Amino acid sequence: MANLDPLGGTLPAARPFGRGGLRVAPLAFGAAAIGNLYTAVDDAEAVDAVRAAADAGVDYFDTAPHYGLGLSERRLGAALADRRGVVLSTKVGRILRPARVSADATDSEGFAVAADVERVWDFSRDGVLRSLEASLERLGRDRIDVVYVHDPDDHAAEALDGAFPALDELRRQGVITSYGAGMNQSAMLTRFVRETDLDVVLVAGRYTILDRSAGEDLLPACLEREVSVAAGGVFNSGITASTAPRPGATYDYAPAAPDVLDRARRLAAVCREHGTTLPHAAVHFPLRHPAVRTVLLGMRSAAEVRADAALLAAPPPDALWADLEAAL
């Protein structure tokens, strides 16, 4: 069944996600932005964005304690308090604890929030349980669908020894439905796919129209092990979110190198020739791979939700893809 978006189009039918019976639409709501990522969003605007997404047929919402030092989870929980039938994911690996700071101190990791709590890395079993208990309280839930081990780049051993076995236990107990890992790299995710029994992964920025690296290692492993993939960072932090990339556009959170900018411009030109746009192609590209079940986009307002839902309502023309390959 297709879900109606507010512009009169449809979101394509939901797809299986993980091995526990979850299903998600191909567009998912990334809740970092409503945790005041880079700029502040007020409570009403954040709630409006979440509810507009649910009304548009978005049924998967992803958050983390890291996002706004718990603000994203609190806002998401409030906005979805009367919604059932949605899939929620959060993350473990960073414990939040009170911090001793001056009254005007602000977060140093990109969120426009007061730094009255601090993040502490903890991938132990106890850390996972404590983190998840606090997340459930902020979300106002007694269980959660999906839990990701969050950015364990420098903590692989601790994650393998502590976090993953703890999540496996919680899945067996029915406290969570699925578990996995969320990272900005594919190599370690591939290792986790092969060495644990996770059934979902969130890969950010490594399977995009400009960066296909996850297609070499992670995605084949996921197909082999029946692991579902959520693709985040599909705009590589901004460069392919524009119909005409300009100098100064960001690629992986830094100004794009000239060769990257040139590639993005070539792809944008090909999209125009086919009567579509680079952002349209960018959100659909990951979904062409059979391991990828949903694309996770950050949204901070109802207007952004409507724009993103419109991008997913219909795919680009089939002839576009071969011409894009030739332009790389």
Side-chain angles (χ1 to χ4, degrees), residues 92-118:
V92 294
R94 293 172 172 92
I95 297 287
L96 302 183
R97 70 182 184 189
R100 295 180 179 178
V101 295
S102 62
D104 59 350
T106 57
D107 181 51
S108 62
E109 296 197 31
F111 294 89
V113 295
D116 53 348
V117 299
E118 63 182 357

Side-chain angles (χ1 to χ4, degrees), residues 29-32 60-64 67 72 76 89-91 148 202 296:
F29 187 102
Y60 174 29
F61 298 80
D62 174 72
T63 184
Y67 302 157
S72 173
L76 191 60
S89 62
T90 193
K91 304 181 181 73
Y148 295 108
L202 169 53
L296 194 148

Side-chain angles (χ1 to χ4, degrees), residues 3 13 48 59 71 122 150-151 154 191 200 205 234 241 243 257 263:
N3 302 308
D48 285 348
D59 54 12
L71 178 63
D122 192 337
H150 198 188
D151 294 337
D154 299 322
R191 177 184 176 188
V200 293
V234 299
T243 58
R263 281 197 294 137

Side-chain angles (χ1 to χ4, degrees), residues 259-286:
D259 64 314
V260 175
L261 181 61
D262 182 62
R263 281 197 294 137
R265 286 172 163 173
R266 291 201 306 271
L267 297 182
V270 172
C271 290
R272 288 192 294 271
E273 291 171 2
H274 284 268
T276 188
T277 66
L278 182 57
H280 189 205
V283 298
H284 281 272
F285 169 78

Side-chain angles (χ1 to χ4, degrees), residues 21-315:
L22 298 174
R23 298 181 65 86
V24 299
L27 174 61
F29 187 102
I34 65 167
N36 288 3
L37 181 62
Y38 303 132
T39 58
V41 177
D42 65 35
D43 288 342
E45 188 174 18
V47 169
D48 285 348
V50 174
R51 291 180 176 170
D55 290 343
V58 174
D59 54 12
Y60 174 29
F61 298 80
D62 174 72
T63 184
H66 171 56
Y67 302 157
L69 296 171
L71 178 63
S72 173
E73 289 182 320
R74 290 192 295 272
R75 284 175 164 173
L76 191 60
L80 294 176
D82 59 349
R83 304 275 182 160
R84 292 296 178 262
V86 298
V87 174
L88 286 179
S89 62
T90 193
K91 304 181 181 73
V92 294
R94 293 172 172 92
I95 297 287
L96 302 183
R97 70 182 184 189
R100 295 180 179 178
V101 295
S102 62
D104 59 350
T106 57
D107 181 51
S108 62
E109 296 197 31
F111 294 89
V113 295
D116 53 348
V117 299
E118 63 182 357
R119 306 167 180 87
V120 179
W121 292 106
D122 192 337
F123 292 92
S124 68
R125 180 183 185 278
D126 180 64
V128 165
L129 298 179
R130 289 167 53 207
S131 179
L132 186 56
E133 182 180 11
S135 288
L136 289 171
E137 182 176 351
R138 287 188 290 267
L139 288 163
R141 303 267 169 159
D142 57 9
R143 70 180 309 280
I144 190 115
D145 301 293
V146 179
V147 178
Y148 295 108
V149 179
H150 198 188
D151 294 337
D153 301 74
D154 299 322
H155 307 273
E158 296 96 319
L160 287 167
D161 292 342
F164 287 116
L167 293 175
D168 197 64
E169 179 183 341
L170 292 172
R171 186 175 63 182
R172 290 196 305 271
Q173 294 172 349
V175 177
I176 63 177
T177 303
S178 292
Y179 72 85
M183 303 183 73
N184 295 295
Q185 60 157 296
S186 64
M188 191 174 290
L189 282 177
T190 304
R191 177 184 176 188
F192 293 150
V193 167
R194 297 199 179 281
E195 296 184 17
T196 76
D197 194 39
L198 57 72
D199 59 332
V200 293
V201 295
L202 169 53
V203 58
R206 303 285 75 84
Y207 194 64
T208 73
I209 203 167
L210 284 175
D211 183 339
R212 318 290 180 86
S213 55
E216 300 298 320
D217 53 4
L218 177 63
L219 300 190
C222 288
L223 284 179
E224 179 184 332
R225 299 274 293 175
E226 298 183 341
V227 171
S228 298
V229 178
V234 299
F235 298 129
N236 285 115
S237 81
I239 190 168
T240 59
S242 169
T243 58
R246 298 181 178 180
T250 55
Y251 177 77
D252 287 356
Y253 308 101
D259 64 314
V260 175
L261 181 61
D262 182 62
R263 281 197 294 137
R265 286 172 163 173
R266 291 201 306 271
L267 297 182
V270 172
C271 290
R272 288 192 294 271
E273 291 171 2
H274 284 268
T276 188
T277 66
L278 182 57
H280 189 205
V283 298
H284 281 272
F285 169 78
L287 293 168
R288 290 169 53 79
H289 195 286
V292 178
R293 304 302 169 83
T294 191
V295 167
L296 194 148
L297 300 182
M299 306 180 227
R300 67 176 63 242
S301 68
E304 287 189 5
V305 168
R306 288 190 289 270
D308 290 340
L311 289 175
L312 267 294

